[in-house]
Amino acid sequence: MASQGMSSLLTHEESKGIISTGASLQTTNNQLVKCIEELRLRRDDMNKQIMKEEEDKQRIQNEIRILSEKLNRLNEGLSRKIQAKQEYERTLQETEAAYNKILESSQTLLHVLKRESASLSKKINQ
């Protein structure tokens, strides 16, 4: 029986070792809890950054959509105006060509009239 009692009792050195191990485990546990809490804070901070950047992304995509619509309207307006300008140029060219023909005809007519007038004047004065 005496040997049983001795085996169940811990020595002073063994008790100190168990206490030391328990304290070490408690320190490790505290450090783990601190690390976990720090990781959670970092995760929460990262989540805030992600949410802000997603909001920025949505805002920018909306701005791009609005600007794209404006650009399309401008391009359509420019296309219509360029076509109208080309029609103006074509009309001006045709009008100037017709005007030049009228001028040539008028000059020819004036020349013929002057010649006929001179001829009539000669006939009258003879």
Side-chain angles (χ1 to χ4, degrees), residues 3-114:
S3 65
Q4 260 184 330
M6 286 195 162
S7 66
S8 66
L9 293 176
L10 297 175
T11 64
H12 180 60
E13 288 299 316
E14 289 173 332
S15 292
K16 283 174 65 177
I18 290 174
I19 292 171
S20 173
T21 302
S24 177
L25 283 174
Q26 184 61 42
T27 302
T28 302
N29 185 50
N30 289 343
Q31 289 175 345
L32 283 172
V33 168
K34 184 179 177 183
C35 284
I36 290 170
E37 188 58 33
E38 187 176 314
L39 287 173
R40 284 183 179 147
L41 289 173
R42 288 181 184 180
R43 178 201 61 198
D44 292 346
D45 183 52
M46 187 61 60
N47 192 45
K48 287 177 186 176
Q49 291 178 25
I50 289 170
M51 288 173 59
K52 184 193 179 306
E53 288 184 12
E54 284 178 347
E55 288 173 3
D56 289 346
K57 177 184 167 188
Q58 285 289 17
R59 179 182 48 78
I60 290 170
Q61 284 177 331
N62 190 46
E63 290 173 3
I64 289 172
R65 181 186 55 79
I66 290 169
L67 289 173
S68 292
E69 289 172 2
K70 285 182 180 180
L71 180 60
N72 285 338
R73 284 192 301 272
L74 278 172
N75 283 334
E76 290 170 1
L78 276 172
S79 178
R80 286 189 304 270
K81 288 177 182 176
I82 288 171
Q83 286 177 342
K85 178 186 163 226
Q86 290 170 345
E87 288 178 26
Y88 279 126
E89 287 176 352
R90 182 184 50 79
T91 302
L92 278 169
Q93 287 173 351
E94 291 173 359
T95 304
E96 287 174 348
Y99 179 73
N100 286 334
K101 285 182 182 178
I102 291 171
L103 277 180
E104 287 175 21
S105 295
S106 295
Q107 288 172 346
T108 302
L109 179 60
L110 181 61
H111 179 71
V112 168
L113 282 175
K114 284 183 180 178

